Amino acid sequence: DTAVSQTPKYLVTQMGNDKSIKCEQNLGHDTMYWYKQDSKKFLKIMFSYNNKELIINETVPNRFSPKSPDKAHLNLHINSLELGDSAVYFCASSQGDVGGNSPLHFGNGTRLTVT
Amino acid sequence: AQSVTQLGSHVSVSEGALVLLRCNYSSSVPPYLFWYVQYPNQGLQLLLKYTSAATLVKGINGFEAEFKKSETSFHLTKPSAHMSDAAEYFCAVRVTGGGNKLTFGTGTQLKVEL
């Protein structure tokens, strides 16, 4: 029973293409996130949604657009892909909104390679 | 704004030796602190968390961490390293009112040698 699942696991595409990554959690959490991990393993938050409402948008280019159809799903759509978008993208979820000590539960990541 | 600093991007220990991974935080308000572990090609897994209930926190796989406010530290330790502990370890901080944002350190790669 996978708690946070992302698809696809690997994504190889060419510059200029548009791609989506899907994320689903079955933990009943009300907050979901997208993090980007670069080649040096640095993790940076991109977006956070609480009950389908955007609460964190960390200076991410407009080419990235998250969509949360319900609180169990948070998808990431990327337009006009660039070489610098190559990274591992992690979806995560947690219980609780602003602040709090509830830990994040992470998916296994989507490795995006832009050629 | 809150932040964490992990000293040492790479740490190497012998199997059976003490593991010490360092983390210092910066926060103007009481923080929540976490340690996560990442095995190759996997997501992050929670090791332990500090929530002010106790300064010494025990986690999974024999790891523990001690919150020291005077030193603004939250170092991770394990008395005896095992080969299976080889992984990337991340310290993270979250503060109340921070939009639920978890801010990670740059990570420490732990290598365990025979």
Side-chain angles (χ1 to χ4, degrees), chain A residues 4 13 16 24 28-29 41 44 49 56 59-61 73 75 81-82 95 98 100 103 105 113:
Chain A
V4 181
T13 188
E24 175 182 4
H29 290 163
K41 297 290 183 74
K44 184 170 170 58
Y49 270 74
I56 294 176
T59 60
V60 177
H73 295 84
N75 303 322
L81 278 155
E82 300 177 358
Q95 187 59 39
V98 175
H105 295 254
T113 304

Side-chain angles (χ1 to χ4, degrees), chain B residues 21-35:
Chain B
L21 304 181
R22 299 178 187 274
C23 173
N24 287 88
Y25 69 91
S26 173
S27 174
S28 58
V29 297
Y32 297 114
L33 295 160
F34 306 80
W35 274 99

Side-chain angles (χ1 to χ4, degrees), chain A residues 23 25 45 49-50 53 56-57 62 71 97 101 105 107:
Chain A
C23 179
Q25 55 95 4
I45 190 168
Y49 270 74
N50 176 257
E53 181 182 345
I56 294 176
N57 183 341
N62 291 338
K71 73 174 190 177
D97 48 19
N101 61 10
H105 295 254

Side-chain angles (χ1 to χ4, degrees), chain A residues 33 35 56 97 99-100 102 104, chain B residues 36 38 43 51 94 99-100 102:
Chain A
Y33 313 76
Y35 275 82
I56 294 176
D97 48 19
S102 56
L104 272 63
Chain B
Y36 282 84
Q38 184 180 26
T51 61
R94 178 199 281 157
N100 217 20
L102 193 63

Side-chain angles (χ1 to χ4, degrees), chain A residues 39-85:
Chain A
S39 59
K40 295 185 178 180
K41 297 290 183 74
F42 183 64
L43 279 154
K44 184 170 170 58
I45 190 168
M46 300 173 69
F47 302 103
S48 173
Y49 270 74
N50 176 257
N51 280 322
K52 302 192 298 177
E53 181 182 345
L54 180 66
I55 56 173
I56 294 176
N57 183 341
E58 285 285 304
T59 60
V60 177
N62 291 338
R63 298 182 295 102
F64 290 79
S65 54
K67 283 187 171 54
S68 181
D70 56 62
K71 73 174 190 177
H73 295 84
L74 180 61
N75 303 322
L76 184 64
H77 188 76
I78 315 170
N79 290 326
S80 303
L81 278 155
E82 300 177 358
L83 291 176
D85 297 332

